[in-house]
Amino acid sequence: MFSESWFRSTRVIALTLAVLIVGALLTILSWQGAIRAVNLEDQDRFEEETGESLELIQERMETYGQVIRGLKGLFVASNRVDREEFSNYANELALDENYPGILGIAFALDLEPERLDAHIEQVQESGFPFYSVHPAGDRDRYTSIVFIEPFSGNNLNAFGYDMYSEQVRREAMDQSQVSGELTLSGKVSLVQDADRGPIAGVLLYLPVYEREVGLAAASPSNIYGWVYAPFSMDILMEGIRLNESPIAFSVYDGPDMNEGALLYSTIDDSDFVPEWTFSRTEQLRISQRIWTVRFLADDSFIQDHQSAEPEVVMFVGGLLTALLTILVWSLASGRERAEARAAVINRELSETEFRWKSALSGAGHGVWDWNNLTNEVNYNKEWKSMLGYTEDEVKNEFSEWRRLVHPEDLENVEAAVADFIDGKTSTYSVQHRMLARDGSWRWILTKGAIVARDNEGNAARTIGTHTDIDRQKKLELALSESDQRFRGAFGTAAIGMALVGLQGEWLEVNQALLDMLGYEEGELLKLTFQDITHPEDLDRDMELLNALVAGKIPSYQMEKRYFCKDGSQIWIVLSVSLVRDANGNPLHFVSQIENITDRKELAKKVAYQASHDDLTDLPNRRLLQQRLAQTIALCRRHKRKFALMFIDVDHFKQVNDQYGHDVGDELLKWIAKQLGDSVRASDTLARQGGDEFVLLLAEISSAEDAELVARKVFYAIREPFDTGLQQFKVSLSVGVVIFDPNDPDSAEELLRKADIALYQVKRGGRNHYRVYKPEDEQSA
């Protein structure tokens, strides 16, 4: 019924249809896989680009924090900073060039209400007759911005401004005062930006205490003022968001994303709200404050990929399926015809497959096809649109590519092309700039491969891709520039600076630190900070360091001791912050080290001078009052007695009149030494003033113990005083009072009673002692 040829034809048709169906299914599956691969690639690229932006924000704010710490160092080192010194320091920083985003650096002075009028008058007399602290009004506490640089333009609006009068600023200032650390404020409208309208801003504060500038030796609550920097968020974020980026981002103050907390956004206020294909929200902790950063991107972020890879896969798959179907049909329909066509089809299929595989390797990017023999180049639509050109604005000539390459990059690019074509390099991959239609220069990554050679082995056809890397390259350059600025500040800083590893090893140190410790760089890098820290200070340092790594504190500052190479010790102020990666993992510490040994010695000397008599080196009236108050409290608690002696040099005025004041001073020094040698270490011998001394006997059992000491006092000056030119004897009058823990006597009352007893001795002819009795009051 059916002929053999019919069955043969049927089998050919069935086999051909099967091949066609299988090829179509495989093409569809490959197309779907390509779409998924593109989406995953875009998601990874989105995560990578947003991660770089987060890291840049964190690093920029940490760098600016170091600027504020350096500004505080100026006040600590100089004690009294004047306007000229502040201006010179700011000029050296070159804020506009080195620290984009900082509107200025400034110092706000803390003012008590009773000092306000005097402060205003002082500033007005110094050359600012219209100066005032504003806003006006009665408040419990005032501050005033007295130094701000640059001292020009909108910054003049801030001169005299009382930031403490505004709630958000006040909260940040209070927090920094209590913690002693860098503190970022919440969202504010800056005084400097009044001319531009309501622009969101923040301020970064660091307190300066009176004890740090030599004004007091009290607790950290004695605030002197704040060094700080104001930031306009739109200026601060310049460089974070690169030009023409399809990724939008917003920054919010705090953990909540609402309109009131919005600090900055690249999303316009138009009525059209796109559907966001990509979204990422992260929180950054910056100087004790949380910023929430949200990144969004719509389909434009993946548009280049959609227009290339899946379509190429579909096209190539369809082409291969068609070719394979034809091949199968040809083979099945006739061996001779199949063999005749096989060579042609295989050659065409091989060339087509290789060419489109090269295109697929750069899917979503511009593709160029260069005929090396004719110098004709076919630039595809994406290649031209990547630079903003239309189809007819770029000719299919090699000279067009040379015309668009940046002049500074052309020599290097042409050399790379020549080496590749000549076989000196196995691959061609070069980064360079190309001229866009709008006149800007965009960074491009060019890759190529030779796909055909002539009979002599020379390149006949080269196919390659162009990838737009402008955003990544600019970010890379910005990070490099930021790192160079940090390295410059690190190396030339007047105080010691170091990068320290997580185990305490020194990673990098500047020359100031080496000079401070007396080490060569190679010597110090072999040690850890634990090796040179005084053992008594190490536990506290490690405790703060662990809290910093755990995220319990943003940074810390402490005074500690270091051992120098020669074995000597120095006192330093150590400020430490932690650098983390984009995922929040610790990388290394940044340490600032200031040598305060001289300041410590000076403070010790000043404290000693403030509590001791210059002539006799005995405790003075102030120190006596402190020890007397402590002794009263202690003896009253433990129900013990003590004695107080008022000692007066008899006829001391006659000594001054007869021998001169120099001899009188030597006599007082001699008496101080004789008396000091005759009393216990637990007792206090002080000079009350003039020729009056006070002896505090901290522990006695009875009045007889005090009388025994009084006799020792007279015995101590039994020998005549010898000036070298003459000798004469002196005598003393001593009034004694015994403290009874059951009596309510104060320090002043005890001194008064001892003075009354002394008066009775003088009335009786001097050169004796007397213990106070209540009846002495009647004849006093």
Side-chain angles (χ1 to χ4, degrees):
M1 179 187 248
F2 298 101
S3 65
E4 182 179 349
S5 61
W6 183 85
F7 282 108
R8 187 183 304 114
S9 299
T10 301
R11 285 197 300 270
V12 169
I13 294 172
L15 179 60
T16 303
L17 288 175
V19 170
L20 181 62
I21 293 171
V22 170
L25 289 175
L26 291 175
T27 299
I28 293 172
L29 291 175
S30 299
W31 174 71
Q32 291 176 340
I35 291 178
R36 286 193 296 271
V38 166
N39 290 338
L40 289 175
E41 179 185 344
D42 287 326
Q43 182 64 44
D44 291 342
R45 188 161 54 91
F46 179 78
E47 294 291 330
E48 180 181 355
E49 293 188 16
T50 55
E52 290 171 348
S53 295
L54 288 169
E55 201 169 307
L56 187 57
I57 294 173
Q58 189 82 52
E59 289 187 1
R60 176 169 290 186
M61 294 308 295
E62 288 175 355
T63 298
Y64 294 165
Q66 299 302 332
V67 173
I68 303 304
R69 291 187 185 280
L71 182 59
K72 176 176 178 177
L74 172 67
F75 280 82
V76 173
S78 301
N79 287 346
R80 285 293 190 178
V81 177
D82 58 27
R83 192 173 303 280
E84 181 179 2
E85 187 176 3
F86 190 91
S87 177
N88 292 337
Y89 182 86
N91 291 336
E92 287 297 321
L93 290 176
L95 296 176
D96 290 341
E97 179 179 349
N98 296 324
Y99 304 99
I102 295 184
L103 295 182
I105 56 173
F107 172 72
L109 180 67
D110 184 67
L111 290 169
E112 297 176 353
E114 56 268 21
R115 293 174 49 208
L116 181 62
D117 292 339
H119 164 74
I120 294 175
E121 182 179 353
Q122 179 185 5
V123 177
Q124 289 177 345
E125 291 176 354
S126 67
F128 300 94
F130 301 106
Y131 170 82
S132 65
V133 176
H134 56 92
D138 294 332
R139 295 184 286 277
D140 294 335
R141 185 179 184 184
Y142 296 87
T143 66
S144 176
I145 301 174
V146 293
F147 299 149
I148 185 167
E149 292 294 336
F151 193 57
S152 60
N154 289 335
N155 276 349
L156 296 178
N157 297 333
F159 186 42
Y161 178 60
D162 180 4
M163 295 186 289
Y164 204 74
S165 64
E166 193 273 321
Q167 181 179 354
V168 176
R169 292 174 173 85
R170 180 168 62 251
E171 290 175 355
M173 295 166 80
D174 285 342
Q175 185 177 2
S176 72
Q177 178 181 349
V178 172
S179 67
E181 301 295 341
L182 283 165
T183 303
L184 190 67
S185 77
K187 176 181 177 181
V188 300
S189 293
L190 297 176
V191 179
Q192 292 94 321
D193 272 342
D195 296 342
R196 295 201 297 151
I199 305 298
V202 294
L203 303 103
L204 188 59
Y205 292 99
L206 185 63
V208 180
Y209 303 106
E210 290 184 345
R211 62 183 174 84
E212 294 177 312
V213 294
L215 298 179
S219 66
S221 61
N222 287 341
I223 188 73
Y224 176 58
W226 294 263
V227 289
Y228 79 97
F231 304 89
S232 279
M233 289 301 297
D234 56 344
I235 301 177
L236 181 64
M237 290 295 118
E238 288 182 3
I240 304 297
R241 174 182 181 261
L242 300 177
N243 295 334
E244 301 181 9
S245 170
I247 300 178
F249 76 99
S250 303
V251 182
Y252 297 86
D253 177 35
D256 298 325
M257 294 185 294
N258 54 63
E259 186 66 26
L262 183 63
L263 290 171
Y264 177 78
S265 180
T266 62
I267 304 173
D268 58 34
D269 296 330
S270 63
D271 294 334
F272 173 71
V273 179
E275 290 189 11
W276 302 113
T277 308
F278 302 91
S279 175
R280 181 183 183 183
T281 302
E282 297 287 346
Q283 289 189 345
L284 297 177
R285 185 170 183 84
I286 301 175
S287 297
Q288 305 191 72
R289 195 158 192 91
I290 296 295
W291 275 2
T292 301
V293 185
R294 188 182 188 193
F295 297 94
L296 299 168
D298 57 18
D299 287 342
S300 64
F301 188 74
I302 60 175
Q303 187 173 5
D304 290 342
H305 289 283
Q306 287 181 331
S307 63
E309 186 170 340
E311 286 77 359
V312 168
V313 170
M314 180 67 78
F315 173 80
V316 173
L319 179 62
L320 292 176
T321 299
L323 291 174
L324 187 59
T325 302
I326 294 172
L327 177 62
V328 170
W329 180 83
S330 298
L331 290 173
S333 62
R335 182 180 301 273
E336 293 181 359
R337 187 154 48 91
E339 290 177 350
R341 291 287 301 162
V344 177
I345 293 175
N346 283 336
R347 187 171 58 253
E348 292 176 350
L349 183 60
S350 177
E351 182 179 346
T352 302
E353 180 181 6
F354 190 91
R355 180 173 178 178
W356 285 108
K357 280 185 177 179
S358 298
L360 283 174
S361 67
H365 312 300
V367 178
W368 50 269
D369 187 345
W370 178 20
N371 187 324
N372 301 84
L373 302 179
T374 65
N375 249 5
E376 180 183 1
V377 184
N378 180 26
Y379 308 105
N380 75 345
K381 178 181 178 182
E382 287 74 16
W383 191 99
K384 298 174 182 178
S385 63
M386 184 181 298
L387 298 173
Y389 296 105
T390 61
E391 283 283 346
D392 57 352
E393 287 182 313
V394 178
K395 301 177 182 177
N396 290 331
E397 299 175 0
F398 184 78
S399 59
E400 287 287 82
W401 172 79
R402 294 185 74 260
R403 176 179 67 85
L404 298 178
V405 174
H406 196 289
E408 295 178 2
D409 301 336
L410 185 59
E411 181 178 354
N412 178 58
V413 172
E414 287 186 324
V417 171
D419 289 345
F420 173 66
I421 296 299
D422 293 342
K424 296 179 180 180
T425 58
S426 58
T427 59
Y428 174 66
S429 178
V430 180
Q431 297 181 11
H432 59 84
R433 290 163 289 181
M434 295 195 72
L435 180 64
R437 189 176 187 275
D438 60 7
S440 64
W441 296 97
R442 299 191 67 82
W443 280 96
I444 300 296
L445 171 62
T446 302
K447 292 185 177 182
I450 298 174
V451 299
R453 296 183 181 273
D454 60 16
N455 295 332
E456 298 178 356
N458 298 319
R461 174 166 292 181
T462 306
I463 295 177
T465 61
H466 269 194
T467 305
D468 186 345
I469 60 168
D470 192 66
R471 176 180 176 80
Q472 298 93 314
K473 191 67 176 180
K474 287 180 178 177
L475 181 59
E476 175 186 328
L477 294 174
L479 289 173
S480 175
E481 182 182 351
S482 176
D483 183 67
Q484 290 176 6
R485 288 198 300 267
F486 173 76
R487 296 295 174 187
F490 182 91
T492 60
I495 63 174
M497 294 189 69
L499 301 183
V500 183
L502 299 180
Q503 303 304 318
E505 68 275 18
W506 300 101
L507 302 177
E508 294 186 40
V509 293
N510 71 349
Q511 190 59 45
L513 181 59
L514 295 172
D515 294 342
M516 186 188 305
L517 298 174
Y519 284 98
E520 296 295 331
E521 183 177 11
E523 295 173 332
L524 188 56
L525 293 183
K526 294 178 182 178
L527 304 175
T528 66
F529 80 84
Q530 295 95 324
D531 293 330
I532 66 171
T533 297
H534 195 288
E536 295 178 3
D537 303 331
L538 187 57
D539 288 346
R540 177 57 178 164
D541 199 357
M542 295 302 298
E543 178 184 345
L544 292 171
L545 203 67
N546 292 332
L548 181 60
V549 173
K552 297 178 181 179
I553 56 175
S555 60
Y556 73 87
Q557 185 178 87
M558 68 174 293
E559 293 183 359
K560 60 182 285 190
R561 287 161 289 182
Y562 273 158
F563 291 111
C564 297
K565 181 181 177 181
D566 61 7
S568 61
Q569 296 180 26
I570 61 172
W571 276 96
I572 59 106
V573 170
L574 172 68
S575 300
V576 182
S577 58
L578 177 63
V579 177
R580 300 179 184 270
D581 61 20
N583 296 321
N585 299 316
L587 291 177
H588 58 77
F589 303 104
V590 178
S591 297
Q592 296 186 71
I593 301 103
E594 180 187 0
N595 189 343
I596 60 169
T597 304
D598 292 342
R599 192 195 315 165
K600 277 279 189 179
E601 292 297 328
L602 179 60
K604 182 178 179 180
K605 182 178 179 181
V606 169
Y608 183 85
Q609 291 175 342
S611 60
H612 286 75
D613 177 53
D614 291 338
L615 179 64
T616 64
D617 210 27
L618 293 176
N620 60 13
R621 185 194 302 266
R622 178 182 177 185
L623 183 54
L624 174 65
Q625 290 285 350
Q626 293 176 0
R627 293 187 179 177
L628 181 54
Q630 293 169 358
T631 303
I632 291 174
L634 187 62
C635 289
R636 185 163 280 148
R637 184 182 308 120
H638 297 287
K639 302 298 181 181
R640 293 203 306 256
K641 295 182 179 181
F642 71 86
L644 191 67
M645 294 185 179
F646 217 132
I647 304 172
D648 190 67
V649 182
D650 293 336
H651 306 297
F652 180 72
K653 183 177 183 301
Q654 294 178 11
V655 174
N656 279 335
D657 293 342
Q658 183 175 353
Y659 300 105
H661 287 279
D662 289 344
V663 173
D665 288 346
E666 290 300 319
L667 173 60
L668 292 175
K669 291 163 65 176
W670 178 78
I671 291 174
K673 183 179 184 307
Q674 299 303 110
L675 296 180
D677 291 342
S678 66
V679 299
R680 300 170 300 183
S682 59
D683 299 331
T684 297
L685 177 64
R687 186 185 178 198
Q688 180 79 348
D691 61 338
E692 298 175 344
F693 297 87
V694 174
L695 179 57
L696 174 61
L697 306 178
E699 295 183 13
I700 62 171
S701 300
S702 63
E704 287 75 14
D705 292 342
E707 294 183 28
L708 177 61
V709 174
R711 288 194 290 272
K712 285 185 178 181
V713 167
F714 285 98
Y715 184 77
I717 61 167
R718 68 190 183 283
E719 300 294 336
F721 171 62
D722 187 354
T723 66
L725 297 176
Q726 60 269 332
Q727 295 182 348
F728 55 86
K729 294 198 67 171
V730 295
S731 62
L732 304 174
S733 297
V734 181
V736 184
V737 63
I738 307 299
F739 171 78
D740 187 337
N742 297 315
D743 291 341
D745 288 344
S746 63
E748 292 77 11
E749 182 66 12
L750 290 173
L751 287 170
R752 187 188 70 82
K753 289 181 177 179
D755 191 37
I756 289 176
L758 174 64
Y759 175 73
Q760 296 298 332
V761 174
K762 289 183 177 181
R763 285 186 60 185
R766 294 184 169 84
N767 194 23
H768 209 291
Y769 71 88
R770 179 181 179 85
V771 179
Y772 169 83
K773 298 177 182 179
E775 53 265 27
D776 291 342
E777 299 278 357
Q778 299 175 0
S779 56

